Amino acid sequence: MGTKKSVGFKQLFIHLLIISATACAILIGFFYYYLPEFTHHGEGIEVPKLVGTSYEDAQTLIRKNKLKIKIFDSAYYPTVKPHIIQNQFPEAGEKVKQSRTIYVSVASLTPPRVRMPKLIGYSLKAAQMSLESYGLLQGRIIYIPSATEGAVLKQMVGSSPILPDVWVKKGTKINLVVGNGLGSENMFIPDLSGLNLVEARDILSVNGLELGAVVYDANGTGQIGTVYKQKPEYISGDTTNTIKTGDVIDIWINGENPQQILTPANTAP
């Protein structure tokens, strides 16, 4: 009786051993032979270089390599043609599996808009740094005689002044008018009395002078809206009454400041 039990136990043990060995063989075959063959383990496609090529050309190249491509970002670059690829991930030369998606960033066609910074009164170096930080380009630098040497006096697009906070496209060239100190030439101080603001500014500009402070005085004399006082003063017949090129003249105008009159607080709804 004991012998039969011993033989049965041995047969059961042998069967279990065979089952275990078979299972191990199947697992080994699956992980070390079938799975690598199915997934092409150890094999890979080398990612081509896409940076510097157009997105259209990159699509053709990607298809030839049995990969996929997708744009994940776009940015405006003033010196780069639109649709040129700037970055890619994974990078060129890396090994990837078939059908892997390659993500790229491209140069956009339309530049974004930024608010024009205030550059007047800043040094040329500070103005240049501000332009760069806003994505704007420095255009021409025009030097004129001025008491404020090295400072920006005007900011312009082309020949037209541009005010701070005006929306402008990134990459726009901004021309800067910069003072280079007072000129060596002496001239008679012009008489601005009786002129309006535009006329006074034009006279000063023609003579290479700058308009300084503009003070409106409701208790002034003369016709409303005209200059009744200036500093330095004009003295008729005084041959020593001179000023240097680039110097500043302040003016006083009879009447209230029209800009203050037209402020939203003083206008009808």
Side-chain angles (χ1 to χ4, degrees):
M1 189 72 177
T3 303
K4 289 182 179 180
K5 287 183 178 181
S6 176
V7 172
F9 179 76
K10 287 181 180 180
Q11 289 177 342
L12 178 61
F13 178 76
I14 292 171
H15 284 303
L16 291 174
L17 188 62
I18 293 172
I19 292 171
S20 299
T22 303
C24 288
I26 292 172
L27 290 173
I28 291 172
F30 179 78
F31 284 106
Y32 287 91
Y33 294 98
Y34 173 76
L35 193 60
E37 180 68 23
F38 181 76
T39 59
H40 303 284
H41 181 71
E43 299 179 9
I45 300 172
E46 185 173 310
V47 177
K49 180 183 178 182
L50 305 178
V51 174
T53 63
S54 69
Y55 184 68
E56 291 75 15
D57 292 341
Q59 286 179 306
T60 303
L61 187 58
I62 283 295
R63 281 195 294 266
K64 287 182 179 179
N65 286 271
K66 298 180 180 179
L67 299 170
K68 298 178 181 178
I69 188 171
K70 185 175 182 179
I71 297 175
F72 76 91
D73 188 27
S74 64
Y76 179 74
Y77 301 87
T79 58
V80 179
K81 292 181 179 179
H83 309 306
I84 298 298
I85 293 176
Q86 300 301 299
N87 295 289
Q88 67 177 84
F89 178 81
E91 295 182 357
E94 290 191 25
K95 296 282 189 177
V96 297
K97 293 180 181 180
Q98 183 178 320
S99 298
R100 172 70 183 271
T101 299
I102 310 301
Y103 294 91
V104 297
S105 66
V106 299
S108 64
L109 174 64
T110 306
R113 292 178 177 269
V114 295
R115 288 186 181 274
M116 179 67 201
K118 180 181 181 297
L119 306 177
I120 296 174
Y122 287 81
S123 69
L124 176 59
K125 182 65 175 178
Q128 290 170 327
M129 293 175 63
S130 181
L131 287 175
E132 184 177 356
S133 68
Y134 277 81
L136 300 171
L137 301 179
Q138 176 193 296
R140 293 186 299 130
I141 299 177
I142 305 165
Y143 289 96
I144 63 172
S146 172
T148 52
E149 183 176 2
V152 175
L153 305 176
K154 296 180 182 179
Q155 52 193 42
M156 302 186 297
V157 175
S159 58
S160 301
I162 180 169
L163 297 173
D165 291 330
V166 171
W167 288 101
V168 62
K169 291 181 180 179
K170 269 191 174 184
T172 299
K173 286 186 177 182
I174 306 299
N175 297 327
L176 302 175
V177 178
V178 181
N180 66 348
L182 293 177
S184 57
E185 181 182 352
N186 287 330
M187 64 176 61
F188 292 113
I189 297 175
D191 181 12
L192 304 178
S193 60
L195 302 178
N196 61 37
L197 177 59
V198 174
E199 293 169 336
R201 183 185 286 117
D202 289 343
I203 290 294
L204 293 177
S205 179
V206 168
N207 286 276
L209 300 171
E210 290 185 40
L211 177 63
V214 178
V215 181
Y216 284 87
D217 184 359
N219 298 316
T221 59
Q223 186 178 347
I224 297 294
T226 62
V227 178
Y228 76 91
K229 179 182 175 182
Q230 68 182 71
K231 186 178 180 181
E233 296 179 11
Y234 166 77
I235 303 175
S236 178
D238 187 352
T239 57
T240 63
N241 188 28
T242 60
I243 194 172
K244 288 186 179 295
T245 305
D247 216 334
V248 176
I249 294 183
D250 300 328
I251 61 174
W252 280 255
I253 296 179
N254 182 24
E256 297 184 13
N257 189 336
Q259 291 183 346
Q260 292 180 349
I261 295 173
L262 297 174
T263 54
N266 296 319
T267 56

